[in-house]
Amino acid sequence: MSEQTILQAAQEAAKELNGKFEKKGDVFCLNALIAERKAFLSKQSLWYTARFKVDEASRQVTFTEMLEERKSGLGSGDLEDSPSGFSFKKTVTKSGTEGLEGIIDEQSVLFGKKYSYSLDLKKVREGIKRAAEVEGYSFKYSIWGKL
């Protein structure tokens, strides 16, 4: 029952993001598009991912989150690859172990200068933490995405 209570609190905290936590194995995952920019023949989007795991044996909830920037569109390519000099280009930047370093709050400030959004990303983390503590679980925030 405690896992369900924590999940309900997570769903409530994520309402503003128009996202829903889904269970993948023993981990609950949320992926939500929080901002998007479109220009001539290109698109950039900012995604928020939150994951948490409830360990009944140790009575601990482990939580991780990240921001991910996805870009796609036309970019100038090598003449060898494309006779016209243009090619389709797609890039991804993450604020995890594979990409940008720093905690989510710092990344939110960084991306906030580039994208226009008014969401408080701390609401999800704080909602899950509060629910875990009410249910008698400890809360562990994992910066590197390992649950």
Side-chain angles (χ1 to χ4, degrees):
M1 183 62 179
S2 296
E3 182 179 272
Q4 285 302 319
T5 305
I6 295 168
L7 176 60
Q8 287 173 350
Q11 298 286 28
E12 185 63 33
K15 254 186 185 174
E16 190 179 346
L17 297 173
N18 294 325
K20 197 168 186 98
F21 278 92
E22 297 175 356
K23 193 166 186 179
K24 296 179 182 176
D26 60 349
V27 177
F28 292 94
C29 302
L30 165 77
N31 290 307
L33 175 66
I34 60 171
E36 193 169 43
R37 291 173 35 165
K38 293 181 182 179
F40 181 69
L41 299 176
S42 70
K43 183 170 106 175
Q44 299 174 344
S45 56
L46 187 61
W47 289 79
Y48 172 75
T49 301
R51 300 180 335 174
F52 74 94
K53 179 179 178 180
V54 179
D55 185 350
E56 295 289 345
S58 65
R59 306 237 355 124
Q60 180 174 336
V61 175
T62 307
F63 177 84
T64 187
E65 60 190 347
M66 75 174 194
L67 286 172
E68 178 182 5
E69 183 179 35
R70 299 177 188 168
K71 300 177 186 180
S72 63
L74 287 179
S76 60
D78 295 332
L79 290 176
E80 281 177 24
D81 297 337
S82 173
S84 66
F86 289 96
S87 63
F88 190 77
K89 193 173 187 178
K90 182 177 180 181
T91 61
V92 174
T93 304
K94 297 181 183 179
S95 59
T97 57
E98 300 293 319
L100 298 172
E101 294 180 326
I103 59 175
I104 191 118
D105 298 331
E106 293 171 355
Q107 294 304 318
S108 182
V109 170
L110 174 79
F111 285 124
K113 293 176 183 174
K114 187 173 184 180
Y115 295 92
S116 175
Y117 62 94
S118 61
L119 301 169
D120 183 6
L121 300 178
K122 289 187 247 178
K123 283 184 180 180
V124 175
R125 180 183 346 131
E126 291 170 353
I128 294 171
K129 181 179 181 181
R130 194 175 320 108
E133 290 171 348
V134 165
E135 292 294 314
Y137 287 75
S138 62
F139 181 84
K140 178 183 172 192
Y141 182 77
S142 177
I143 230 174
W144 299 111
K146 294 185 181 179
L147 298 177

